[in-house]
Amino acid sequence: MKNVNRVFFCKSLSLVFLVPSFTRSTLRFTYSSASASASAASSSPNRAIHCMASDSPQPGHGSVSLPSPNSAAVPTSSASSAIDFLSLCTRLKTTPRAGWIKRDVKDPESIADHMYRMGLMALISSDIPGVNRDKCMKMAIVHDIAEAIVGDITPSCGISKEEKNRRESEALEHMCKLLGGGERANEIAELWREYEENSSPEAKVVKDFDKVEMILQALEYEQAQGKDLEEFFQSTAGKFLTDIGKAWASEIVSRRRKQH
């Protein structure tokens, strides 16, 4: 297979990753070599790609096949696959959330910061009839995992939801292969798929946690940095669908009103 390198640019950042592409899709993801990562870290220690430029969708490439629950993929060396997978996931720790960068927030949280607190939300939440709390915790820590490759794509990036899903689906497929396939890779793929499709009670709860975590972080940035982040509250108003999401969001909004 001939390796092809592609570079995606973000208007607000000049840092990009270069790596060989992988098969089947017209989309070429970019990965950093060890030397490139070291160079990037020294010049911009807490910056990674957070917004990819648009790549025109291609006919027939609207979706990809993720591992099925009955996938017969043969795992490679478990230790080697695990470390490769975890090394790729480190980008979740170093990639800042794009919305905060756009609003000039100082030292913005990373994608991993966001997912971690969502995991804590699931951990401390009360039992909800028909909802598996352990599954919510797992879903919270994988729902944005594809952003380790594609970055934090937001509406301001000018990329359609369909194209965003295509890129993230391909990224997740690659990550599952990197993990070696098998039971754990299938579990990650299924959790991610359920979240994206909002197809389970757990997905509905975790989607509310996603919005709750964002407005809580917005409130904290307002308090710490004197920012006005009203747009984040407006974008989530009336969109919470679960009782716990509504209750927690109401508490956050109430605290915000008291400080103004």
Side-chain angles (χ1 to χ4, degrees):
M1 181 183 72
K2 182 179 179 181
N3 288 332
V4 180
N5 288 332
R6 291 283 299 276
V7 180
F8 292 98
F9 293 98
C10 173
K11 292 181 179 179
S12 61
L13 292 178
S14 60
L15 175 62
V16 294
F17 292 113
L18 293 175
V19 265
S21 61
F22 53 95
T23 62
R24 234 171 15 105
S25 170
T26 56
L27 176 65
R28 307 301 184 208
F29 294 116
T30 55
Y31 311 112
S32 58
S33 65
S35 59
S37 296
S39 175
S42 62
S43 63
S44 186
N46 194 35
R47 291 296 178 97
I49 297 175
H50 72 273
C51 173
M52 295 292 195
S54 178
D55 203 25
S56 300
Q58 301 295 319
H61 291 276
S63 62
V64 297
S65 57
L66 298 180
S68 67
N70 298 318
S71 173
V74 178
T76 58
S77 171
S78 59
S80 176
S81 295
I83 298 306
D84 286 344
F85 176 83
L86 294 172
S87 294
L88 176 57
C89 286
T90 196
R91 294 179 192 164
L92 298 168
K93 297 166 60 177
T94 58
T95 304
R97 297 253 286 164
W100 308 131
I101 291 180
K102 183 179 178 182
R103 290 295 168 259
D104 296 320
V105 168
K106 183 179 179 182
D107 298 325
E109 65 168 346
S110 69
I111 297 166
D113 293 331
H114 168 66
M115 293 195 296
Y116 173 73
R117 187 153 65 174
M118 284 176 61
L120 288 180
M121 289 176 173
L123 178 64
I124 68 170
S125 63
S126 301
D127 290 334
I128 303 171
V131 174
N132 184 321
R133 191 166 58 90
D134 289 344
K135 185 177 178 181
C136 287
M137 285 187 278
K138 291 179 181 181
M139 189 176 290
I141 63 173
V142 305
H143 81 286
D144 278 343
I145 199 168
E147 293 182 12
I149 292 177
V150 302
D152 184 13
I153 300 174
T154 69
S156 64
C157 294
I159 296 173
S160 70
K161 289 183 179 180
E162 293 77 14
E163 174 65 3
K164 178 178 182 291
N165 181 263
R166 184 181 75 85
R167 294 184 184 192
E168 292 180 347
S169 294
E170 288 199 359
L172 184 70
E173 182 180 13
H174 174 72
M175 295 177 80
C176 288
K177 288 179 179 177
L178 187 65
L179 191 56
E183 183 180 355
R184 291 294 172 259
N186 291 335
E187 182 180 27
I188 289 172
E190 185 59 30
L191 288 166
W192 184 88
R193 185 187 293 111
E194 280 188 24
Y195 178 84
E196 285 296 306
E197 297 175 354
N198 199 16
S199 60
S200 67
E202 290 80 11
K204 291 175 174 57
V205 170
V206 177
K207 279 187 174 290
D208 270 8
F209 285 163
D210 182 56
K211 293 187 284 288
V212 167
E213 203 288 323
M214 183 181 72
I215 62 172
L216 177 56
Q217 186 64 74
L219 175 61
E220 291 166 346
Y221 285 144
E222 286 186 335
Q223 293 171 333
Q225 301 184 26
K227 298 284 185 181
D228 181 359
L229 300 172
E230 172 67 18
E231 66 185 280
F232 293 93
F233 295 91
Q234 288 293 333
S235 69
T236 58
K239 295 184 179 180
F240 296 94
L241 301 179
T242 65
D243 289 342
I244 189 169
K246 292 174 183 177
W248 287 9
S250 178
E251 176 64 20
I252 294 168
V253 171
S254 175
R255 294 187 181 198
R256 184 172 184 253
R257 286 172 180 159
K258 291 177 181 178
Q259 79 175 19
H260 284 292

